[in-house]
Amino acid sequence: MANRGGRRDVLQTLDDRELLRRYRLDRAGIMFVVDLLRDAITSPTRRHNAITPEKKVITTLRYLATGKMQQCSSDDLGLSQSSVRRVITQTLTALSQPNIVTQFVSFPLDARTLHTHKRAFMDIAGFPGVVGVIDGTHVRIIAPSEDEAVFINRKNFHSINVQIVFNAACKILDIVAKWPGSTHDARMLSESGIRQLFERRYVPANCHLLGDSGYPCKPWLLTPYLQPRQAPQLNYN
């Protein structure tokens, strides 16, 4: 089935299994994202063949699932390459707005939620007081035309260095995704909001993050001993 303009309505023609395979979300998931962004991505134009919010979300999901714009302009979506680029940019911009992100990514400050996180980490490895784990990951990018060298990371490819804090269920609690690949993890931490939350005591005492040796050891950030010599240090590591 295709709607006017030769655009196929995949929400009507594909079952959930096929939607998951192509777009990583079933129909309910796709519509959840559509409703979340509808106001931000609805075209103000009154053209009869304007691209719908549903089509914009589906196109963006197809790109995120494959990393290839060519897949987005194939016969199941029926958009030109220029339309695909415009749609993806608009949808990703809407998704990254603070009013959207903070609905799903927010570091807890209330004692009850923090206690739940502590208990979950305690159940994993008997490690007390941990409310989150912090680490960095490099997201590969195409070499930029400006300041290209600063985006080359220690593994010698271009990237954005992304700092993530997550809980025992691997749910993201805090994320910083703006630093070029050459930036050290310790610097990202020093200029992040998560450091301010702990050092200004918005997070209650006796709550800790775990990090690897790329981070400095702090009262609220526990890192490994570089040369453990005694049994307690080995057990801690």
Side-chain angles (χ1 to χ4, degrees):
M1 179 189 300
N3 56 23
R4 294 182 182 181
R7 297 170 185 166
R8 184 182 178 195
D9 188 348
V10 298
L11 289 176
Q12 298 300 323
T13 58
L14 301 179
D15 60 21
D16 277 348
R17 182 176 179 179
E18 185 63 17
L19 289 172
L20 281 167
R21 189 182 73 82
R22 294 191 183 205
Y23 309 110
R24 304 298 190 265
L25 292 176
D26 60 13
R27 188 180 188 282
I30 291 171
M31 291 309 302
F32 177 86
V33 178
V34 171
D35 291 339
L36 190 69
L37 303 181
R38 189 179 296 279
D39 291 343
I41 63 176
T42 297
S43 299
T45 179
R46 293 186 177 181
R47 286 187 312 150
H48 187 65
N49 203 32
I51 303 172
T52 64
E54 288 82 359
K55 184 70 64 176
K56 291 178 180 180
V57 168
I58 288 168
T59 300
T60 303
L61 290 174
R62 184 64 164 157
Y63 173 68
L64 294 175
T66 65
K68 298 177 181 179
M69 285 195 178
Q70 292 83 355
Q71 293 284 350
C72 302
S73 56
S74 60
D75 59 2
D76 64 338
L77 296 176
L79 299 180
S80 66
Q81 281 287 292
S82 59
S83 294
V84 167
R85 292 190 187 94
R86 186 171 63 253
V87 161
I88 291 172
T89 298
Q90 182 188 22
T91 308
L92 291 180
T93 298
L95 273 172
S96 61
Q97 294 305 302
N99 66 306
I100 298 295
V101 175
T102 53
Q103 292 183 47
F104 308 97
V105 180
S106 180
F107 193 87
L109 300 178
D110 62 288
R112 177 176 294 182
T113 303
L114 290 169
H115 177 72
T116 299
H117 290 343
K118 286 182 183 180
R119 210 153 112 195
F121 279 108
M122 189 73 175
D123 289 343
I124 290 174
F127 206 123
V130 176
V131 296
V133 174
I134 186 169
D135 203 357
T137 185
H138 287 273
V139 177
R140 188 185 293 267
I141 62 170
I142 297 171
S145 57
E146 297 182 8
D147 300 321
E148 179 262 347
V150 299
F151 288 89
I152 300 175
N153 61 36
R154 65 183 184 277
K155 296 183 179 179
N156 205 35
F157 64 85
H158 297 87
S159 69
I160 298 291
N161 194 0
V162 180
Q163 176 182 285
I164 302 174
V165 177
F166 52 94
N167 66 14
C170 297
K171 178 182 178 180
I172 295 175
L173 305 177
D174 186 81
I175 187 166
V176 179
K178 65 179 182 180
W179 291 94
S182 64
T183 309
H184 195 277
D185 289 351
R187 183 187 174 190
M188 293 170 59
L189 175 66
S190 70
E191 300 193 29
S192 69
I194 197 72
R195 180 183 72 87
Q196 299 291 336
L197 289 179
F198 278 92
E199 296 196 348
R200 293 184 180 180
R201 300 184 179 178
Y202 290 105
V203 181
N206 299 316
C207 292
H208 311 289
L209 297 180
L210 290 184
D212 63 22
S213 57
Y215 296 101
C217 188
K218 295 178 176 290
W220 52 270
L221 175 55
L222 308 180
T223 60
Y225 286 97
L226 294 179
Q227 295 179 326
R229 296 176 181 174
Q230 302 173 357
Q233 294 179 356
L234 289 167
N235 290 336
Y236 166 86
N237 276 6

